[in-house]
Amino acid sequence: MLIKLFFSLIIIIFIFYVFLECDFDYLKHPLSIWIYIISLLLIIISSFLEEIFKNQLSKKKLKKFQSYEKKIKTRNHGFDGILELDNKIPKWWQQLFSITIVISIIYFCSFFFTNFANPQFEYKRAYKNQLKKIKEFEKKQPQASIETVKFDKKFINDGKKLFNENCATCHNIDGGGNIGPNLTDDYWINHKEKTLIKNVFSIIWNGSKNNKVMRAFGASGEIKGNDIKKLSSYIYFINKNNNKPKNPKFPEGDKIILE
């Protein structure tokens, strides 16, 4: 009976997952829990009824078994003289084998006629779930702004990755400048804010009026406030630590020492 309960529960969960296209959050849903409980109760009741019928027929079978016991069949291996009892396969083994056949049929149908095991479908579903988690996280974790941004050493490595992905094309991998200006010197095209970290944050967020190539990454929603804070910390780090690029671009803008 335990085998029946275990595999029946697995089949129910599998059907939910494949044909109803549910994620694993449904396991905690109250309706799902009630379905499991009712299904398991039905299986338990059916098992008890089966036992009752077996007990009623046991007396009749006992006589047959006693007569059959006298005629036990054996198999002779022949070459080694070993006798083997010709017993029937146990019921639990037969049930287990039947369950594997049922699961294989369900899997076969789901694989060829549904989106189960489809990598593109699974990617889209995982992507949607990830976006939901990001939104939930952002609600709990407020984004950085020009008023709250501060330099933090722990953001340098993450900021470097973001810089390589978003800024290296225009400012070069070492910050020495390419299409965009050199970020390691003291010359600034835009110097609206009094501190370096706020000035960098402001430029990334609002873009540059004096350099149209620099777009507003933050205002457009392309980069979130917390990621701009990481970028600003990295740019602050390479600027204040006298990072020396191999081929620095000529100075642009006004020379202003920002703290």
Side-chain angles (χ1 to χ4, degrees):
M1 188 174 75
L2 291 174
I3 294 173
K4 283 184 180 179
L5 291 174
F6 177 73
F7 279 97
S8 299
L9 184 60
I10 290 176
I11 290 171
I12 292 168
I13 294 172
F14 188 77
I15 290 172
F16 264 82
Y17 178 73
V18 174
F19 295 102
L20 300 181
E21 298 180 356
C22 300
D23 56 22
F24 285 102
D25 291 336
Y26 75 87
L27 290 171
K28 302 177 183 178
H29 195 278
L31 181 60
S32 300
I33 294 172
W34 277 110
I35 291 174
Y36 303 149
I37 293 172
I38 293 170
S39 301
L40 294 176
L41 286 174
L42 290 174
I43 294 169
I44 292 170
I45 291 170
S46 65
S47 298
F48 278 117
L49 290 174
E50 184 180 351
E51 290 297 325
I52 292 171
F53 286 122
K54 282 182 178 179
N55 291 332
Q56 291 178 350
L57 297 173
S58 61
K59 293 180 180 179
K60 294 181 180 179
K61 288 185 177 180
L62 182 60
K63 293 181 180 179
K64 291 182 178 180
F65 177 76
Q66 289 173 348
S67 60
Y68 173 77
E69 194 176 17
K70 296 177 181 178
K71 302 177 182 179
I72 294 177
K73 295 181 180 180
T74 58
R75 289 183 179 181
N76 191 338
H77 288 191
F79 63 91
D80 55 9
I82 296 175
L83 295 178
E84 180 184 1
L85 295 176
D86 190 12
N87 294 328
K88 291 183 178 180
I89 296 174
K91 284 190 175 181
W92 66 264
W93 195 97
Q94 292 176 344
Q95 292 172 354
L96 184 62
F97 183 69
S98 301
I99 289 170
T100 58
I101 293 173
V102 172
I103 292 176
S104 65
I105 292 171
I106 295 173
Y107 186 89
F108 178 86
C109 295
S110 62
F111 185 86
F112 286 101
F113 303 109
T114 69
N115 286 321
F116 179 72
N118 185 326
Q120 293 181 351
F121 173 77
E122 291 181 356
Y123 171 78
K124 289 179 181 178
R125 183 169 58 186
Y127 181 71
K128 288 180 180 179
N129 291 336
Q130 189 66 26
L131 289 178
K132 288 180 182 178
K133 291 179 180 179
I134 290 172
K135 288 181 180 179
E136 292 175 0
F137 174 79
E138 288 178 350
K139 289 178 181 178
K140 299 177 182 178
Q141 184 75 18
Q143 295 292 323
S145 64
I146 189 68
E147 291 80 15
T148 61
V149 65
K150 292 180 181 179
F151 170 73
D152 196 329
K153 289 183 179 180
K154 68 182 180 182
F155 295 135
I156 292 174
N157 290 332
D158 290 338
K160 184 177 181 180
K161 293 177 183 178
L162 290 167
F163 184 88
N164 293 339
E165 293 172 1
N166 299 280
C167 311
T169 303
C170 295
H171 296 281
N172 218 339
I173 197 74
D174 55 9
N178 188 3
I179 299 172
N182 183 1
L183 300 177
T184 63
D185 59 18
D186 294 324
Y187 290 85
W188 296 93
I189 298 174
N190 301 275
H191 44 85
K192 182 179 179 182
E193 303 297 328
K194 294 181 180 180
T195 62
L196 176 59
I197 191 73
K198 289 184 180 291
N199 198 60
V200 173
F201 189 97
S202 177
I203 296 169
I204 300 173
W205 184 274
N206 298 307
S208 173
K209 292 181 180 180
N210 301 323
N211 183 7
K212 300 300 181 181
V213 177
M214 180 63 189
R215 61 184 184 275
F217 287 95
S220 64
E222 189 172 347
I223 303 179
K224 299 294 184 181
N226 288 335
D227 285 338
I228 294 178
K229 178 173 65 174
K230 295 174 183 178
L231 275 170
S232 301
S233 293
Y234 174 69
I235 294 170
Y236 179 96
F237 174 76
I238 63 174
N239 184 277
K240 289 297 182 182
N241 283 271
N242 297 319
N243 183 52
K244 296 180 180 180
K246 293 181 179 179
N247 298 305
K249 191 178 181 181
F250 57 85
E252 296 179 272
D254 303 322
K255 185 174 182 178
I256 299 175
I257 305 299
L258 296 171
E259 296 300 326

